[in-house]
Every structure is written in structure tokens, then in C-alpha cells.
Amino acid sequence: MDQLKGIGMQVFYTILKQHRRKLRPEMRILGDAYVKEEFRQAHQKANQEQYIEFLKRWAIYIEELDKSKQIGRDLTSEEKALLNEDQIDNLAKLKEFSKQQKSE
């Protein structure tokens, strides 16, 4: 498991590096906080099989970041109109969290 955690740290730092390259600053704050919490929990709670699957999922995320040209755009008014109440609430919570992270 120690070797896997070493690989996990490489994946973690690759994600943070990709965030620096690909995400707008306000999205990077949110993305970095999310990734740090996910990896912290996985290090503490996951067994070997779960950790391998966890790393596979994050590797897919890294590939998606590599392929993407633009990440983090504002929703159009048409897209906003399609959101349901739960999605609007979650979006507001994310916005508030992002503001809190910026001020820290």
C-alpha cells in the first residue's frame, strides 16, 4: 500500500499542476480544495482495492484536463434557465464556498 500511496502523491501533484495550467483562478481555488479533501480522505479510509479504483478515476480526470482547451466558463442564460431548484442551490453553495476560499 505504501507504493500505491507514492503513486497517489504523484497523481495528486499532477492534478494540482494541471489546475494551475488549465483552470481560471476562481475555479482553481475550488478544484484544489476539492482534490485535497478527496485525497486526504482516500489516504485515511480506503483499502487497497478502493485506492486503486480511486487513482484510476483521477487518472481519467487528468486525461480529460489534458484534452480540454477551455475549462471553466460562465453558464449562459439559456443554461441557467434549465437548472432545477437543487442545481441552483448547489451552484449558490459552490459560489459561496469559492468566495470563502478566496478570502482565506
Side-chain angles (χ1 to χ4, degrees):
M1 187 72 168
D2 288 338
Q3 184 179 11
L4 273 179
K5 291 199 176 187
I7 294 168
M9 292 306 294
Q10 291 174 339
V11 171
F12 174 77
Y13 287 117
T14 300
I15 292 167
L16 295 181
K17 188 187 308 182
Q18 286 286 37
H19 282 183
R20 281 192 306 275
R21 292 179 182 157
K22 299 279 188 163
L23 299 181
R24 297 184 317 200
E26 62 272 13
M27 290 194 66
R28 183 175 162 214
I29 291 168
L30 184 62
D32 287 355
Y34 179 78
V35 169
K36 288 174 186 175
E37 181 61 21
E38 286 288 308
F39 272 80
R40 185 186 65 75
Q41 288 184 24
H43 278 284
Q44 292 175 353
K45 299 177 183 177
N47 64 35
Q48 186 170 344
E49 185 178 314
Q50 292 167 331
Y51 198 70
I52 290 169
E53 187 62 29
F54 174 82
L55 293 178
K56 285 179 183 178
R57 299 293 177 178
W58 283 106
I60 292 168
Y61 175 71
I62 292 168
E63 288 175 14
E64 291 298 318
L65 284 175
D66 281 338
K67 294 178 197 173
S68 300
K69 292 181 182 175
Q70 178 191 12
I71 298 175
R73 62 173 177 77
D74 293 330
L75 294 175
T76 65
S77 55
E78 292 83 14
E79 290 169 329
K80 288 178 185 177
L82 295 173
L83 298 176
N84 65 36
E85 286 296 318
D86 288 338
Q87 291 169 323
I88 292 169
D89 187 46
N90 285 338
L91 194 57
K93 288 176 186 176
L94 283 171
K95 189 174 183 178
E96 183 60 33
F97 178 78
S98 178
K99 286 180 184 178
Q100 289 173 355
Q101 294 297 312
K102 270 187 183 178
S103 66
E104 289 180 0

